[in-house]
Amino acid sequence: MSSRRTFLQAAVTAVAGLGGASRVFGTNPPPVGTHSVPANASDRLARRAPLPVITPGVKDLAFTIDNGTKVFQLIAEPVKQKIAPWKTIDCWGFNGSCPGPTIQANQGDRVRILVENRLPESLAIHWHGLEIPYAMDGMPYLSQRPIAPGSRLAYEFTIHQNGTFFYHSHSPMQQMMGMVGMFILHPPRAHAPAVDHDFGIVLQEWAVLPNNTVPNTANMEWNWLTFNGACSPMTTPLIVRLGGRVRVRFINLGMDHHPIHLHGHTFVVTGTEGGRQPETLWGPANTVLVGVAQARDFEFVANNPGEWMLHCHMPHHNMNAMSDLLGDRMMMTSDTEDVRALSQMQTLANQVGFEHVHHAPIAPDANKVPGFPQDAFMDMGMDEAVAKPENNGLPRNWSAMMMGMMTLLRVLPPDLYDLVMNDVQRGYVAPPPPVGGHSHGEHEGGPR
């Protein structure tokens, strides 16, 4: 029972806000937006060791050492990517992943990236933003011959920059088939102030016509939008400790610009696709525009406990345009009948295998109001279908309005943070709470 009480207390703290944190811990938290350096970050800054970047849902690309050179094996190939519990697309990526695995290296490293082409057509890889020899730039017919199907090519260069960069095919339609990945270059010493958590997110968009699985790369309208290859609520939350300093890195290789908004915190933009910005350019914000072919890093102190949304603020990007959710049918705001709308939602729930929870209340005379409905029938709670350790402790039906290009930033007090991260390490998924319940108390039934 003691472990359960501890977990529940921490859970209450996580959702109680700053006042609740003060009552439980007996301390006054720093004001929202304060950019102080946590003690553990200061300790690490003294050691000057940059943190590895975590790309939630995407693996790192492994490497070997050959006479001091880091050697990476990058395979371009067709990929089946599950972007929603009921939607798998046929895209192109690298090493079985779309976006491709994250490459991490250090300033001063000599790297060799062996690219193998398992696609049915030729390609070349561009290292976006890297200042490297001309022969390594990846421009077909200028700096290199295209890599033919079944062939390999070694790109080799020395890294003298640091920051958030990316790699991608230099053929436009291949880019829209998904051929992009993060390329993180770490400085020799951690930037000040040092961060306690460092995350990377790849922004992508897809045009997948009804009853199709192959993206229409020539389309100008996009109906599926992803963070790290998944639509919310399939995205993996960012788990951070209360009081820690956080860096989040975004890259965008698509056709739309994305205003990325963070709830509950104020951040400063510290980097672009050209590297780290001088502090004289830092200014408070809670939304940053990540344009096409751009990267943006922002940093903040996670001093406000809770489950905070991190999302693109383009309205249709919050909902995947609601197109092709049910095969050859579209969810439209013109579905004015409660029974019909719920029937469509239940059809999808039955197909995927989760318990559909009724939408938020509507007025008895709602159909008489011009413009109704708008969001009334868009709730689609699917907690069971997207269960993962990072979601442990979230309230019942948390996923109902999590759609499209968004994820959660979970700012957790130390006890709760340690419990959830322990679950992540063990791969333990807590059972969902009953309808109307809350899952925090379910934790003690998990394996020890």
Side-chain angles (χ1 to χ4, degrees):
M1 290 298 294
S2 176
S3 65
R4 183 176 185 178
R5 283 195 298 270
T6 300
F7 190 91
L8 284 170
Q9 183 184 52
V12 169
T13 303
V15 298
L18 292 173
S22 176
R23 288 192 296 273
V24 173
F25 291 107
T27 60
N28 292 319
V32 174
T34 301
H35 294 282
S36 59
V37 184
N40 48 354
S42 298
D43 293 342
R44 191 176 57 261
L45 183 58
R47 298 194 302 269
R48 302 293 186 184
L51 273 183
V53 173
I54 296 173
T55 317
V58 179
K59 295 181 179 180
D60 285 347
L61 187 61
F63 63 87
T64 58
I65 303 292
D66 178 20
N67 291 325
T69 298
K70 290 183 177 179
V71 181
F72 298 86
Q73 306 277 345
L74 192 63
I75 301 171
E77 61 185 351
V79 172
K80 286 189 177 294
Q81 181 73 19
K82 188 175 184 180
I83 61 174
W86 63 93
K87 190 70 174 181
T88 298
I89 64 173
D90 288 290
C91 54
W92 292 359
F94 300 91
N95 297 63
S97 175
C98 181
T102 298
I103 300 176
Q104 302 202 47
N106 300 318
Q107 190 172 356
D109 282 348
R110 183 74 177 178
V111 300
R112 181 183 308 135
I113 305 171
L114 301 175
V115 177
E116 179 181 348
N117 184 8
R118 296 183 184 175
L119 298 172
E121 62 188 43
S122 299
L123 85 155
I125 302 301
H126 175 62
W127 315 100
H128 194 100
L130 272 66
E131 298 169 355
I132 53 180
Y134 175 66
M136 299 292 103
D137 188 56
M139 181 60 195
Y141 304 109
L142 287 176
S143 62
Q144 68 166 86
R145 294 181 179 179
I147 308 171
S151 298
R152 303 174 77 199
L153 180 66
Y155 295 86
E156 185 166 341
F157 44 85
T158 299
I159 293 169
H160 69 271
Q161 300 162 267
N162 67 78
T164 303
F165 302 91
F166 46 108
Y167 64 92
H168 60 81
S169 164
H170 211 280
S171 297
M173 298 299 96
Q174 291 178 4
Q175 295 171 20
M176 299 312 298
M177 280 292 286
M179 303 196 71
V180 62
M182 297 197 90
F183 199 149
I184 305 299
L185 307 183
H186 295 285
R189 297 180 178 182
H191 292 300
V195 297
D196 303 288
H197 308 274
D198 202 335
F199 299 99
I201 296 178
V202 180
L203 309 177
Q204 290 174 285
E205 52 206 22
W206 312 90
V208 187
L209 300 178
N211 288 327
N212 279 265
T213 60
V214 178
N216 180 355
T217 59
N219 208 29
M220 295 300 292
E221 295 183 2
W222 317 97
N223 53 3
W224 295 91
L225 300 111
T226 57
F227 276 6
N228 289 349
C231 302
S232 186
M234 264 191 62
T235 50
T236 300
L238 314 184
I239 312 297
V240 305
R241 187 190 296 270
L242 179 65
R245 187 175 180 89
V246 183
R247 178 185 297 127
V248 186
R249 309 165 185 252
F250 290 89
I251 67 168
N252 177 18
L253 188 69
M255 288 287 290
D256 285 331
H257 306 300
H258 300 290
I260 300 298
H261 176 62
L262 173 62
H263 290 209
H265 293 81
T266 300
F267 57 71
V268 291
V269 177
T270 59
T272 73
E273 68 283 352
R276 192 165 180 86
Q277 295 195 106
E279 289 192 33
T280 53
L281 296 179
W282 295 8
N286 53 55
T287 304
V288 59
L289 185 66
V290 186
V292 173
Q294 290 184 338
R296 289 293 182 270
D297 304 344
F298 64 68
E299 298 177 20
F300 61 97
V301 174
N303 55 15
N304 198 359
E307 325 283 359
W308 302 104
M309 285 183 64
L310 174 63
H311 63 101
C312 176
H313 219 294
M314 295 275 282
H316 282 191
H317 297 185
N318 281 328
M319 48 190 258
N320 282 326
M322 298 305 286
S323 80
D324 189 28
L325 288 189
L326 298 170
D328 62 349
R329 287 173 287 171
M330 295 178 65
M331 297 300 299
M332 303 293 289
T333 58
S334 60
D335 287 332
T336 57
E337 295 297 326
D338 194 33
V339 173
R340 177 181 171 185
L342 288 179
S343 175
Q344 287 194 334
M345 294 295 193
Q346 191 60 51
T347 297
L348 180 57
N350 293 341
Q351 174 186 338
V352 179
F354 60 86
E355 181 181 5
H356 176 55
V357 180
H358 196 282
H359 58 73
I362 60 175
D365 61 347
N367 288 328
K368 298 179 181 179
V369 178
F372 176 84
Q374 294 301 319
D375 294 292
F377 301 136
M378 297 213 178
D379 293 8
M380 178 53 69
M382 56 185 78
D383 300 2
E384 303 95 326
V386 297
K388 62 183 67 174
E390 291 85 352
N391 298 341
N392 289 354
L394 290 172
R396 179 68 186 182
N397 211 36
W398 68 269
S399 59
M401 286 299 288
M402 297 290 294
M403 293 176 278
M405 197 172 254
M406 63 179 66
T407 190
L408 286 176
L409 172 80
R410 303 190 65 189
V411 180
L412 306 179
D415 289 349
L416 183 54
Y417 174 84
D418 291 341
L419 285 168
V420 172
M421 292 308 295
N422 185 50
D423 286 349
V424 172
Q425 293 172 3
R426 294 180 298 135
Y428 169 64
V429 179
V435 175
H438 202 274
S439 66
H440 290 125
E442 300 293 336
H443 185 277
E444 68 174 354
R448 300 294 179 187

